[in-house]
Amino acid sequence: IGVAYALNDDLALSYNIIESEKHDHASTGEVEQETKAINLAYTVGGITLAFQDAKTDNAAYSAGTSDDTRTISVKTAF
């Protein structure tokens, strides 16, 4: 599930929640992995500068683990 909002023609903001379950009947049963992320993107001409901050609970379907990531990207179109 996600929500995106264009603040103006060049700047966009979004928030996403991604949930998935791993069914492992042999050992641990079901483990739910959940990721929450906020994204910010600025586009000028053919270049997009983007930033994402994401937090994952039960990372790699391992109960009690977490993973925090921050990503900066530069994309071009021509």
Side-chain angles (χ1 to χ4, degrees):
I1 295 175
V3 174
Y5 182 71
L7 300 168
N8 58 34
D9 287 342
D10 301 327
L11 189 61
L13 179 67
S14 68
Y15 181 76
N16 303 287
I17 299 174
I18 303 162
E19 295 179 353
S20 63
E21 292 182 4
K22 178 181 179 183
H23 304 284
D24 186 4
H25 301 291
S27 60
T28 60
E30 293 185 9
V31 177
E32 181 178 276
Q33 176 177 284
E34 180 181 68
T35 302
K36 295 179 181 176
I38 188 163
N39 305 282
L40 182 66
Y42 179 73
T43 302
V44 58
I47 296 177
T48 300
L49 305 172
F51 173 76
Q52 179 186 57
D53 184 27
K55 180 176 182 358
T56 302
D57 293 323
N58 297 331
Y61 301 102
S62 180
T65 62
S66 65
D67 183 27
D68 295 330
T69 59
R70 288 176 187 84
T71 305
I72 296 174
S73 64
V74 178
K75 302 170 191 153
T76 62
F78 47 100

